[in-house]
Each structure stands twice: as C-alpha cells, then as structure tokens.
Amino acid sequence: GHLAFALLFRRLNKLEELNLTRVQIVGRALILLIATHLGPTLQSLDITGCKEVKDEEIIYLAQHCPKLRYLNVRYCKGLEAVLLDKHLPELLPECQIERDRPRFDQQQAD
C-alpha cells in the first residue's frame, strides 16, 4: 500500500489538494510520504477520520508544508487538543484547521 502511494506522490509532486477522508492506512508512514513528496506545493489536506494519525506526524507535516492553507483533522482521535489549539496555529498561522469540537466533559476537565 505505502509503496504505491510513494510512487504516486513522486509523480504528482505538484499536487495542491489531497483528500484522504477515512482512508484507514493513513498513519505515520503515509503522512511522512505526503510531507516529503507533496510538501512544497500542498495547500489543502483532508484526513477526516484517519484515526492512526498522531501529533508528531502533524507537526512534521506542518513543518514541511509551508503553503498549507486548509487542514481537516475531524475525527482524528489520536490528536491532542494542545496541538490543535496552540502548536498547529503557531506553525501554520494562515491555515484553516477543521477539527472536532471539544465535548462538554472535555471542557470541564480543562
């Protein structure tokens, strides 16, 4: 699976938009491939429902995708609120970030 994506991303290295909504294999390896091969041109990424994605991968993505203006991470359960509320806006100040709304019980814990 990942080898096919690597070959595809190498050929589509000028890609500006990528929608991987609910693609279950999106995780560390695929995020690193996206950042490496599409990073210079990628402006929009939708990884809604990709539950394997973690904070470290999103930070790496943000550091390697300077033109990213839209990132949808709704239902990405592996991401921490501090990343979405603080770190990601600092790394990508011009990026619109779509995310889950905090649940009431999560707000109470803060």
Side-chain angles (χ1 to χ4, degrees):
H2 292 110
L3 179 59
F5 275 110
L7 294 171
L8 182 66
F9 292 158
R10 267 191 251 166
R11 290 190 150 287
L12 300 173
N13 61 355
K14 303 246 187 287
L15 194 70
E16 294 179 357
E17 294 183 27
L18 183 60
N19 186 329
L20 295 172
T21 299
R22 291 180 174 48
V23 175
Q24 295 304 310
I25 65 166
V26 175
R28 180 177 179 79
L30 199 52
I31 292 294
L32 297 180
L33 285 172
I34 291 168
T36 301
H37 294 291
L38 306 178
T41 60
L42 191 64
Q43 296 177 28
S44 175
L45 178 62
D46 189 336
I47 54 172
T48 299
C50 297
K51 297 174 182 160
E52 299 302 315
V53 176
K54 305 284 186 249
D55 289 359
E56 299 80 32
E57 289 101 37
I58 296 298
I59 290 170
Y60 186 85
L61 184 81
Q63 292 170 335
H64 290 82
C65 299
K67 294 183 178 180
L68 199 62
R69 297 296 176 259
Y70 177 80
L71 178 63
N72 192 332
V73 292
R74 289 187 333 220
Y75 308 111
C76 293
K77 303 297 183 190
L79 301 180
E80 297 290 330
V82 69
L83 169 78
L84 300 171
D85 293 336
K86 184 177 187 306
H87 301 303
L88 207 48
E90 289 173 358
L91 289 168
L92 295 169
E94 297 180 29
C95 186
Q96 175 188 345
I97 301 164
E98 296 280 337
R99 58 172 285 199
D100 295 337
R101 296 197 173 158
R103 293 189 339 239
F104 180 74
D105 57 341
Q106 290 174 326
Q107 290 174 341
Q108 294 290 346
D110 293 341

